[in-house]
Amino acid sequence: MSTEAGIDVQRQLESLIQDFRTSDPPMPVIVLHTEDPADDGRVTELVDELSEGQQRHGTRLAVAPTEPQPGDLDPTTRAARLLADLGDPGKWGDRSASYRPYSFPRLNLVRALQEATDDPEMREHWPTAPGGTPDGNAQRERAQTHLLRILARQRWRPRRPVRENRLMLLNDVQQFLPMGVLGAFTALLTRPEWYIAVLAGIGLMVLLAGLNHVPGRAPLFLWLRRESRWFLTTTFLQSAARRQSTSVRLLRPVRSWRAIAARAYDVAEAMREGGPFPLQLYVLALFEDLRDNHRRGSWDLRGFKRTRPPVLFLRRAGRENGGIELIRAVSDVRSRRSELDPLLIVAGVAAGDAALLDRDTDARPPLDRPRQPPSQPSSQPSRLPQRLRHWYDEWAGNLRADQSPSRTNALPWVLRIPLPPGELVELRQPDWRCVRARHRPPVARVVWSVHSLLLVLALVVTAGVVHARELHRTYCSAGLLTADRDTERRPAPGGGTECVGIATGDVRFGAHLSGGTTGEGKRLQELERLVRAENAEVLRDHPDDYVTVVYAGPLSSSSVDPSLVKGAEELTGVYLAQRVVNENYTVKLRVLLANGGADMGHQRVTADAIAEYADRDPTVVGVVGFGRDLQSSPDVTRRLHAVGLPIVSGTNSATYLPKEFSNWLSLAAPDEHQAEALGLVARQLRTGDSAPHSLVLARDTKESQDRYTDEQALYGGEMLKREGFRLLPARRYRVANGKPELRLHAESICRGEDVPSVIYFAGRVEDIGPLMTQLSTEPGCANRQISILTGDDLSKARFSGTGGRDGVAPRITLYHAALAELKEAASRTAFYEDAANYLPWLEDGRATYDAADFASGQTALSHDATRALYWAASLGDVRQSRAATWVNLRNVRLDGMATGTIDFTDAPLYEERHGHSIVLNRVRRTGEGVSKAEVLCSRPAGSTEPLDVRECSIE
C-alpha cells in the first residue's frame, strides 16, 4: 500500500477477515471518501490497491464495472445491471482464489426471469384488461403460458455465450450423477457382473440427461432444484404471489410445477412494473447464493474451506452508474431480512456524493449517534487504526437500533470512513507496506478435499475390488458388493473348485461342472431346471400350502472321479416324487437342492448351510440324502438334529447312525446286515470240514473321510470268522490320483503260500475293475477259483452283460449286496408308470426295473425316501410343522413303493430297525466272455423274514 490510509484500511480489512474464520461477524458496506474533494482520485487509487492486495491474499473478489453505461437508464436499473453480471463465476476471480468457483443459481434464475420479461415477444402478450375480469384472467393465462415457453427455450437460464452454455450443460448433467450411482447400486443388489451395474448407472444418467435437455421443454426435476425451492419459499416474494401454493414435493410433480409457474409469472409482472423491487430481488438472490456458497453444514464443508469472505469492490460509486442505489438496496435488503451474509463491500465515493448515502439528503448525523472523533494530523499514524476499529465497533453496536424504521438518517449497514488528506499522501516507495495474510489451509481443506477424496476413493475401490474378488473366490454367486452365502466354493479332489451348499438363489450346480453339457452333467442340468420349474409353480399357485424338503447329494464331480451317476440318479427319484405329490395331493412339495461335493467330501459345509437356511424358512421339514457314510456323518446328523431336521437317507448303510441319533432313518440295509447276508454265501463256499483261507482287502482311509469301507471291513472280517474261515492278515490299499494301487497287493496275495479262496472286498465300485485286472494276470490267481464278497457299493456297477463297462475276471465270482429289490416290487408299484409320464428323456416313454437308469436302485430309494418324508409332513392332508414331521415319521407305512413297503412303525429310538430291502447278486463270466449278473435271493422293503441258505443257494 502506497499511503498510510491504505495500510490502515487494509489492516482493518484483514482483521475483519480473520474474524470471519471463527465466527460470522456482520459485514458492512465500507464506504471510503475523502474530506477534500480534490483527493477523490486518490480514494479510487486506494480502492484499486486494496483490490490487488486482497487478490494476492487469496480472497474471492469481484470488481463491479462503475463506468458510465450506455443508454437512458435510471439509477435503479443501472444498479440492477451491475448485479446481473455478478452471476458469472468468472467475475469472482480464478479458481486459485479459494476452493472452487462460486455458483449463483438463484441470481441466474432471477436474471433469466428478467430476460424473459424484457423479451420482445412478451410485449404483445401482457394482459391489458383489468385483473379479476374474465378477459383479464384469460389474458393472464395466455401471458403466463408464453412466458413459460420463453423460459423453457432459455432452459430457465440467462442467455449466455456458447462456451458458457456448454458449462451449464455439464452442470445440469452433474445433478443426475447421484441418480446414476443409485441406479448402479440398485443393480448391484441383483448380483450381476460389475460391468452390468456400471452400464446401468451410466445408462440411467444418460437417459435422464437426454430427457432433461429436450429442446423447448423445461429442465427435468426443475421444481426440485435449490433455486426453485428458494424461489417458492422466500418470504421476500410473498407479496408478489396471489395465494398460490408453494408446496414442492418429489412425488407431486404436477402440483409443484403449477406452483413454480404461477410464482414465475407473478414475479415477472412485478419486474415489469419496475421500481426498487427488481434491484432488491437481485441483491437478495446474490446474498442467498453467497450464503449457500459459504454454508458450513454442506456436504463438501465449503464453509470451512472458504475462510475468507467474498469482497465486492466499487471503484467509484455514484448516482450516474447506479453505485449509490446499489449500496442503498444492500442496506435495505439486509435490514429487511435480518440475516447475516458473508459479502463485504468496499466502495469508493466522491466527497460530494457521501451525503447521498443517508436516508435523506441531509448528511447530519443522528442525534443519539456518538460523534466521530475529529481528524488528527498525519504525524500520529497510529490514530487512524484506532479510529477505524472504534468506528467498526461503534457501527456493530448500533446496528440493531439503526435498522429500525424510525431511524431517519444514515443507512444502518454502511460504515463511512472519511480519510484525512494527510494520510492519502503517497509515501516513499521504501515505506510501502502490505499487511500479511495467514495462508494456513484449514483442516477441512486437507481432510475433505478432492485429493483426500481421490485417496479415499482409491482405497475404497481397492478394498471393493479385493472384497469382490474374495466374494467371487468364496461364493458361487457373487456381485460387486453382495453374494449368495448359502453356497460356497471349496477345493475339489484333483484340483480346481466345486460349488457346495444349498441352492436357494440363482445358483445352478450343473453350471459349475467342467464339461457338464454332455452325459450325466447334461442330465443334472435338466433335472435342476425341472425341479426349479416345479418349485416356481408351487410358490406361485400355492404360497400357503406347501412343505419344503432338501435333497443333499453329490451334485458335482472332480477330475479324479468325473462320474455323477449317484447324484443324477438320486435327484431323478426326488424329482419324480415331487411331481407325483404335486399332481395328486393338496399339500404341495417344494424341493431345494444341496450339494455335498464330489463323494460328499464337503457335506459338513452343506449341513451348516441347510441348518442356517432352515432357521430362516419354517417350511423346511426335513432332509433326504446324505447317502455316503463318512467320518463327518455324525457331525452332519448332529448339526441337523440341533435345528430339528429329520434325515431320511436312501443309500447310507451306516449301522451306528440310527443307534446314536433319533433324527436318522434310512432305507438302506445296514453294513452289519449286509455282512450277515453275505455270510450265507460264505457258508456255502466253505466246502467240507476244512477251514479255507480268506482275506479282507480294504481301502486305506487314513487320508480320506470314507467310513463305509471301515465298517464293511469290520463286519466282513467278523462274518468270515463266524463262518469258520482262516483269516489272513488284512490288507489296505492306497488310492493315488483317483486310482487304486493294487499291483503289489495282488502279487503278494497270489504268490504267497496261502492263497485265499474268499476275499472280502471293502472298497468302492470304481476300484473293482483294477482289482479284477490284477487278479486275472497273476499266476497264483489266474487259474484258481476265487470268490469276492463285497457290499452294496457294487450295486452302482454296470456289467458288460447289461451293456455296461464293468466286468469280472475269468474264474472269479463276485457276490455283492444291493439295497433295492426292484423285480418283486415292480408288479405292485406305479413308480415306473410315473417315471414314464414325468421323465422327458425316457425313450418311447417306457421304464422298467432292469433298465440302465433304474437298475442300481438309487433312483427308487431316493424316491421312496422322499415320499416317506412328505407323508410325515402332510399327515391328514394338512401341512405339518418340522417337529410334527419328526414325530410322524415313526408312524409312516407306505405300500406300493418302488422298493416295496416303507414301514417305520417298528423303528425304535436309538436302535436299528428291520424290514430293509436287500438283494444278493452274483456276477460271473459267461462262455461268451461277458459278465452277467443274477439275483441269488432278495427281500423287498417291509419284509422282516430273514434270508436262509436254501433260498440263497449258489448251486
Side-chain angles (χ1 to χ4, degrees), residues 160-275:
R160 296 174 178 272
V162 176
R163 176 178 174 275
E164 294 186 12
N165 283 332
R166 291 174 181 173
L167 293 176
M168 296 306 299
L169 175 65
L170 180 61
N171 290 333
D172 285 345
V173 172
Q174 288 178 353
Q175 68 178 321
F176 301 115
L177 181 60
M179 297 185 182
V181 174
L182 179 61
F185 180 76
T186 304
L188 281 178
L189 297 180
T190 62
R191 296 192 298 276
E193 297 295 335
W194 65 269
Y195 57 86
I196 296 179
V198 173
L199 290 177
I202 295 176
L204 178 61
M205 188 171 63
V206 171
L207 175 63
L208 293 177
L211 295 176
N212 183 70
H213 291 89
V214 174
R217 300 293 301 272
L220 199 63
F221 303 138
L222 171 67
W223 67 94
L224 296 179
R225 289 181 175 179
R226 51 184 173 173
E227 62 267 30
S228 299
R229 293 195 300 269
W230 165 81
F231 191 60
L232 289 175
T233 56
T234 177
T235 58
F236 191 87
L237 298 178
Q238 286 295 333
S239 59
R242 292 182 173 86
R243 296 180 181 179
Q244 298 289 341
S245 171
T246 59
S247 175
V248 180
R249 296 181 182 178
L250 175 64
L251 301 180
R252 305 192 70 172
V254 176
R255 182 174 180 179
S256 302
W257 168 250
R258 289 174 180 172
I260 193 173
R263 176 59 57 86
Y265 182 77
D266 290 336
V267 172
E269 279 191 331
M271 284 183 164
R272 180 169 171 258
E273 296 174 0

Side-chain angles (χ1 to χ4, degrees), residues 886-905:
W886 189 343
V887 173
N888 295 338
L889 274 172
R890 303 288 171 176
N891 298 315
V892 170
R893 180 182 173 85
L894 295 175
D895 292 322
M897 293 292 99
T899 60
T901 299
I902 308 302
D903 188 358
F904 292 158
T905 58

Side-chain angles (χ1 to χ4, degrees), residues 31-265:
V31 175
L32 304 176
H33 64 90
T34 181
E35 297 176 351
D36 186 355
D39 296 327
D40 288 345
R42 293 187 177 181
V43 172
T44 303
E45 294 174 358
L46 187 148
V47 173
D48 292 338
E49 289 182 355
L50 290 172
S51 173
E52 293 175 3
Q54 289 302 316
Q55 190 170 8
R56 292 193 186 99
H57 290 172
T59 301
R60 183 74 69 181
L61 58 88
V63 179
T66 54
E67 294 77 10
Q69 301 177 19
D72 184 16
L73 301 175
D74 60 274
T76 301
T77 304
R78 294 180 187 273
R81 289 195 173 183
L82 288 178
L83 287 179
D85 291 336
L86 297 180
D88 182 3
K91 300 289 185 180
W92 294 85
D94 55 16
R95 295 194 60 172
S96 63
S98 63
Y99 191 36
R100 56 190 175 94
Y102 282 151
S103 61
F104 296 94
R106 298 165 184 83
L107 188 59
N108 286 324
L109 176 60
V110 174
R111 181 177 172 184
L113 278 172
Q114 183 72 65
E115 292 179 355
T117 303
D118 297 338
D119 193 287
E121 295 183 16
M122 280 299 300
R123 293 176 183 173
E124 59 185 19
H125 291 88
W126 291 112
T128 57
T133 62
D135 291 341
N137 293 336
Q139 291 178 5
R140 188 176 186 276
E141 290 180 2
R142 287 195 295 270
Q144 177 178 326
T145 301
H146 197 75
L147 178 69
L148 295 178
R149 187 179 298 116
I150 296 175
L151 286 172
R153 190 168 60 237
Q154 298 178 197
R155 312 293 307 159
W156 286 69
R157 302 286 191 188
R159 299 186 183 95
R160 296 174 178 272
V162 176
R163 176 178 174 275
E164 294 186 12
N165 283 332
R166 291 174 181 173
L167 293 176
M168 296 306 299
L169 175 65
L170 180 61
N171 290 333
D172 285 345
V173 172
Q174 288 178 353
Q175 68 178 321
F176 301 115
L177 181 60
M179 297 185 182
V181 174
L182 179 61
F185 180 76
T186 304
L188 281 178
L189 297 180
T190 62
R191 296 192 298 276
E193 297 295 335
W194 65 269
Y195 57 86
I196 296 179
V198 173
L199 290 177
I202 295 176
L204 178 61
M205 188 171 63
V206 171
L207 175 63
L208 293 177
L211 295 176
N212 183 70
H213 291 89
V214 174
R217 300 293 301 272
L220 199 63
F221 303 138
L222 171 67
W223 67 94
L224 296 179
R225 289 181 175 179
R226 51 184 173 173
E227 62 267 30
S228 299
R229 293 195 300 269
W230 165 81
F231 191 60
L232 289 175
T233 56
T234 177
T235 58
F236 191 87
L237 298 178
Q238 286 295 333
S239 59
R242 292 182 173 86
R243 296 180 181 179
Q244 298 289 341
S245 171
T246 59
S247 175
V248 180
R249 296 181 182 178
L250 175 64
L251 301 180
R252 305 192 70 172
V254 176
R255 182 174 180 179
S256 302
W257 168 250
R258 289 174 180 172
I260 193 173
R263 176 59 57 86
Y265 182 77

